[in-house]
Amino acid sequence: MSRLQVVSGKGGTGKTTVAAALALALAREGKRTLLVEVEGRQGLAQLFGAEALPYEERKIAVAPGGGGEVFALAIDAERALLDYLQMFYKLGSAGRALKKLGAIDFATTIAPGLRDVLLTGKACEAVRRKDKAGRYVYDHVIMDAPPTGRITRFLNVNDEVAGLARFGPIHNQAQAVMKVLKSPETAVHLVTLLEEMPVQETADGIEELRQAGLPVGRVVVNMVRPHHLDEDTLRAAAGDHRTEVARALSRAGLGGARRGGLAERLVDPLLTQAAEHASRVELERAQRTVLTDLDLPTYELPLLGAGVDLAGLYELAKELRKQTVAE
């Protein structure tokens, strides 16, 4: 499996949750993963019930089974630029003085291509980093990336920087980043729901990524709801079965089936719910067909009724682990 896992998705699909669950799933049997946030939302800290993440790699969780560890990092473009200036130009205190003057914020604001190079560059550096024994520090790096509509431009930093610098350290840094991002070391996963707009945005995002030569990984179908009715019942839900339902409720001890009786009064709400469920199942099947036509492997994660807390993250990670083992 690729060492850099980039997770994107339309807003509201739960991409941050999926990124966190994926990090837990990959941190198994003593392995170490780094979970990287690049949007400054501190969504990862909220998921793990932790304080706001600093600009440093910090252990945030231990994976079940084998003691694998998950580290997290919230990348700040301004701090990354200071690191960059120190690395290539040895500015040291002069760089800090520039920050006080507002020059660092100015540079990262007026040059979004530079900002993306700094953010992606920090993640790629973590992918390549080795310890003194020559082993990779992290087995996997998972990036909670920008939404689908911006992901290709965010990752395709080489094109973004071309107008800023055609040679020199910035150009070389962009080239090094793209060498990782367009290699088999990287996979870009897109998170979707079984709804028309997220699925369409996923299809468009995959096409853009492919045109840019960026490696598409999997589609993650999130918040999959269970189907409570079998095929025969779904077909029956489309018809008029008031009398049969009323009699069945009456036999179950829920009052008389005659007009105005308790069983009869329950019929309309039940038939309405059944029809809505049948309609949703049909719509989801249509979206599954669209996803199948994309010809990409998929993961599926269930909808957690109580919302996603730390226990929910571990549950989702367990489900992802099952699906990776089954491959």
Side-chain angles (χ1 to χ4, degrees):
M1 183 172 284
S2 302
R3 298 191 60 249
L4 174 59
Q5 311 271 321
V6 180
V7 180
S8 181
K10 178 177 169 58
T13 59
K15 70 176 179 64
T16 299
T17 298
V18 171
L22 182 59
L24 280 170
L26 293 174
R28 62 191 189 280
E29 300 169 3
K31 294 187 180 295
R32 291 158 56 97
T33 64
L34 175 64
L35 185 53
V36 173
E37 183 177 73
V38 298
E39 295 184 280
R41 296 185 296 107
Q42 291 292 340
L44 295 176
Q46 295 174 29
L47 274 175
F48 284 96
E51 296 180 358
L53 295 173
Y55 182 64
E56 63 183 34
E57 292 157 26
R58 172 179 294 180
K59 186 164 75 172
I60 199 170
V62 176
E69 297 174 320
V70 177
F71 291 76
L73 169 66
I75 303 178
D76 177 85
E78 292 183 32
R79 292 284 300 275
L81 181 53
L82 287 173
D83 288 349
Y84 178 85
L85 293 173
Q86 172 61 20
M87 183 184 305
F88 289 105
Y89 298 104
K90 309 299 181 187
L91 287 185
S93 59
R96 291 189 291 274
L98 288 173
K99 178 176 175 60
K100 289 182 179 179
L101 292 172
I104 300 299
D105 179 60
F106 179 73
T108 56
T109 300
I110 67 168
L114 173 59
R115 184 183 185 88
D116 291 348
V117 168
L118 295 167
L119 295 173
T120 54
K122 190 71 175 177
C124 290
E125 181 275 326
V127 171
R128 297 189 300 258
R129 193 189 312 159
K130 294 184 179 181
D131 60 20
K132 294 180 179 179
R135 296 169 300 193
Y136 286 115
V137 172
Y138 295 107
D139 297 286
H140 298 283
V141 175
I142 294 84
M143 180 193 294
D144 177 22
T148 313
R150 201 163 68 84
I151 187 62
T152 300
R153 185 174 181 180
F154 174 75
L155 294 176
N156 207 21
V157 293
N158 199 41
D159 287 348
E160 288 294 303
V161 170
L164 295 172
R166 299 186 181 278
F167 53 86
I170 294 178
H171 175 79
N172 293 338
Q173 174 73 354
Q175 292 274 9
V177 168
M178 291 311 301
K179 186 175 181 180
V180 174
L181 292 179
K182 290 194 173 184
S183 76
E185 285 188 288
T186 299
V188 184
H189 308 301
L190 296 183
V191 182
T192 187
L193 307 178
L194 287 175
E195 298 174 6
E196 186 174 0
M197 288 185 63
V199 167
Q200 184 58 55
E201 188 162 316
T202 297
D204 293 342
I206 289 169
E207 180 61 25
E208 290 179 2
L209 288 165
R210 285 172 170 167
Q211 289 182 1
L214 291 161
V216 181
R218 293 179 174 273
V219 173
V220 182
V221 184
N222 196 23
M223 304 186 211
V224 177
R225 291 176 286 188
H227 293 172
H228 300 293
L229 305 179
D230 59 29
E231 292 298 321
D232 291 339
T233 308
L234 284 172
R235 285 192 292 269
D240 184 4
H241 300 278
R242 291 182 52 83
T243 301
E244 295 94 320
V245 173
R247 289 173 178 170
L249 291 172
S250 181
R251 288 194 296 271
L254 294 176
R258 64 185 182 281
R259 182 173 297 278
L262 176 59
E264 198 273 342
R265 293 198 303 271
L266 291 172
V267 170
D268 283 340
L270 286 173
L271 288 179
T272 297
Q273 288 187 28
E276 290 175 352
H277 181 76
S279 176
R280 176 173 64 80
V281 169
E282 190 60 32
L283 289 171
E284 288 179 352
R285 283 176 175 168
Q287 297 312 309
R288 283 187 186 278
T289 299
V290 175
L291 292 176
T292 299
D293 291 342
L294 297 176
D295 195 27
L296 284 173
T298 62
Y299 290 142
E300 291 201 3
L301 293 174
L303 174 67
L304 301 181
V308 180
D309 54 11
L310 188 55
L313 274 184
Y314 277 96
E315 183 179 339
L316 295 176
K318 183 178 179 181
E319 185 60 34
L320 281 173
R321 181 71 188 121
K322 286 181 185 176
Q323 294 179 51
T324 56
V325 168
E327 293 174 351

